[in-house]
Amino acid sequence: MSWAGAANVENGVTIDLSAFNHVAVSKDQTVTSVGSGARWQDVYLKLDSKGLAVAGGRVAEVGVGGLVTGGGNSFFAAQRGFACDNVENFEVVLASGKVINANIHQHAGLFKALKGGSNNFGVVTRFDLKTFPQGKLWGGFIMNPINSSTEQFQYLQDFATASGNGADPHASIINAYIFTGRGPTLIANQFTHTKPMPFPSIFDNFTRVPQLTQNTLRTTNLTDLTIELGVGTPNGLRQLFGTATFANNATLFSELFRLATENFRPIQHVEGFQASFVLQPISKAITSKAKLNGGNSLGIGPKDGDLVWLDLTLQWSNATDDAAITAATSTLLSQSLAYATQHHLAHRFQYLNYALQSQDPIASYGAASVEHLRNMSRKYDPGRVFQKLVLGGFKLWREGECC
């Protein structure tokens, strides 16, 4: 969440968890305990040195707490599910001040709720994460000309279908279309293979496309890959995210890209403008893993088929352009969903960690998940502290509804 007030408050109290940044590996090396103020770089630096890994974030500077409680995509998702599906235990401070552990054996309902339920139940102070052996990985970026977009949309559909059918669970791709003040400029593909296997065949279609510059593909460690992935979103600029979920369909991707080009054109002149139109496959192989560890709150599963997340990331320099950027992004999402709905290719899900402030990702989980989340709120936060006094983030009840 990148909008003002998402994680802090004016004229209120902000609890700074940055000192909760410990990373400790159990003696048997099956669990890593991580403080909620740690960043993924802290985690991976510790684990790389031991030949271990966890299914966590893909950008080094991203915080552990927000990513996991919002769901969390991972390089290991096709093997192990979302980051939240790999939590063994949450240590949580409730509004009453009581400290509890939520896991599959104790407070199992809260355990499930915290996996996607964000900051709505308490202050999570520790995450105990499943840990596994992991050596080197292979990955990096290839930059391609923007005129290869049509063929790449088809390659992405083919990749997502193959992944959903169980092909090479070590492979993942982030398919990003970069806009600057000149309009759509290039395609940046980030490939990862969690075995040190150069150029695995599942990427063949992509790696045969002509390249604009020397690629960065190499055998390396998790820390290095996640540092590289963060370079494209430098600190110091204004930033906005927006998201939607769609069926896996190349023709649809092409139309969404056309809509993005059309909606970004009036704002691409603003100072510091850069936008990324990013497609991320979320296959059945990923969504099938939640049930193996007590479930999660996201409300998506194999029955939904192979999905693709659209992540819109925009950056610019001046606050005076905020309204125009936000309006263009909102319009693009509305038009995209309208087109997809008309062609029976839209999905209700909104990934919370990419959501625009005006979106309602909690509601997108579906009625059953929302009811479970609200029941856990009633049980563990009867005074509604995290609904009424903690103003940041996405709430379980919209304004005026509670409780």
Side-chain angles (χ1 to χ4, degrees):
M1 291 177 280
S2 62
W3 36 276
N8 51 31
V9 63
E10 293 283 350
N11 301 314
V13 176
T14 296
I15 300 174
D16 181 1
L17 295 171
S18 60
F20 286 70
N21 61 357
H22 67 276
V23 180
V25 181
S26 65
K27 286 185 178 181
D28 64 2
Q29 298 192 329
T30 62
V31 175
T32 299
S33 296
V34 181
S36 56
R39 298 174 186 264
W40 289 107
Q41 181 171 310
D42 303 325
V43 179
Y44 298 146
L45 281 169
K46 179 93 168 187
L47 296 182
D48 278 341
S49 67
K50 297 177 178 292
L52 301 170
V54 296
R58 298 167 297 174
V59 176
E61 288 194 353
V62 167
V64 170
L67 182 121
V68 174
T69 57
N73 205 350
S74 164
F75 293 138
F76 302 96
Q79 299 166 258
R80 301 176 181 276
F82 295 116
C84 67
D85 298 325
N86 288 268
V87 178
E88 288 280 352
N89 178 76
F90 298 92
E91 180 185 77
V92 190
V93 181
L94 302 178
S96 65
K98 184 178 181 180
V99 180
I100 66 170
N101 286 283
N103 51 59
I104 202 166
H105 303 293
Q106 308 172 71
H107 306 287
L110 180 61
F111 179 56
K112 180 179 179 179
L114 287 166
K115 293 187 280 185
S118 196
N119 66 347
N120 284 295
F121 307 98
V123 178
V124 179
T125 50
R126 192 186 77 236
F127 299 84
D128 298 333
L129 305 175
K130 293 182 179 181
T131 305
F132 48 88
Q134 176 65 47
K136 298 288 188 179
L137 307 86
W138 178 87
F141 277 94
I142 293 179
M143 305 300 180
N144 300 120
I146 198 68
N147 62 10
S148 64
S149 59
T150 299
E151 58 193 292
Q152 295 217 26
F153 294 140
Q154 185 60 55
Y155 298 159
L156 188 74
Q157 177 183 317
D158 295 343
F159 173 89
T161 300
S163 181
N165 289 333
D168 201 342
H170 300 280
S172 63
I173 182 172
I174 302 172
N175 181 225
Y177 299 77
I178 309 303
F179 291 74
T180 66
R182 302 188 306 276
T185 305
L186 59 86
I187 302 170
N189 283 314
Q190 198 280 341
F191 302 95
T192 301
H193 197 271
T194 59
K195 287 187 174 181
M197 179 190 298
F199 296 95
S201 60
I202 197 167
F203 295 142
D204 280 352
N205 285 337
F206 289 101
T207 55
R208 289 171 183 154
V209 177
Q211 299 176 29
L212 290 175
T213 59
Q214 183 68 32
N215 67 64
T216 68
L217 298 170
R218 75 273 191 203
T219 298
T220 185
N221 60 34
L222 196 50
T223 303
D224 182 44
L225 275 183
T226 58
I227 290 173
E228 180 186 48
L229 195 49
V231 169
T233 51
N235 295 327
L237 293 172
R238 305 185 74 76
Q239 189 174 68
L240 175 149
F241 293 109
T243 189
T245 300
F246 302 99
N248 180 35
N249 183 281
T251 302
L252 172 64
F253 305 153
S254 184
E255 175 61 17
L256 300 182
F257 179 67
R258 186 194 68 77
L259 289 170
T261 302
E262 182 179 289
N263 280 278
F264 289 158
R265 189 175 295 116
I267 57 171
Q268 66 191 35
H269 67 281
V270 307
E271 184 178 345
F273 175 82
Q274 179 173 302
S276 300
F277 171 98
V278 185
L279 300 172
Q280 300 185 46
I282 304 297
S283 71
K284 299 187 294 290
I286 297 173
T287 59
S288 65
K289 303 300 190 296
K291 63 183 180 182
L292 303 178
N293 188 32
N296 63 41
S297 298
L298 303 178
I300 51 176
K303 67 182 185 306
D304 295 296
D306 297 317
L307 303 172
V308 172
W309 286 350
L310 171 63
D311 167 27
L312 302 173
T313 303
L314 291 87
Q315 294 181 301
W316 66 101
S317 298
N318 301 316
T320 52
D321 296 312
D322 289 3
I325 296 280
T326 301
T329 306
S330 182
T331 298
L332 170 55
L333 288 170
S334 297
Q335 291 178 354
S336 298
L337 286 165
Y339 178 90
T341 300
Q342 181 183 355
H343 293 82
H344 308 288
L345 296 170
H347 192 279
R348 57 176 165 74
F349 182 77
Q350 299 167 0
Y351 178 44
L352 184 144
N353 289 334
Y354 294 162
L356 194 65
Q357 183 177 4
S358 59
Q359 295 186 284
D360 190 358
I362 297 288
S364 81
Y365 297 172
S369 285
V370 170
E371 185 59 25
H372 176 73
L373 292 169
R374 290 176 173 180
N375 284 339
M376 292 302 100
S377 174
R378 295 180 182 106
K379 180 175 180 178
Y380 290 96
D381 182 23
R384 304 294 188 264
V385 170
F386 289 91
Q387 299 306 303
K388 295 183 176 180
L389 298 182
V390 178
L391 304 180
F394 295 103
K395 303 289 98 176
L396 305 182
W397 288 267
R398 299 294 275 180
E399 189 173 351
E401 290 182 341
C402 188
C403 288

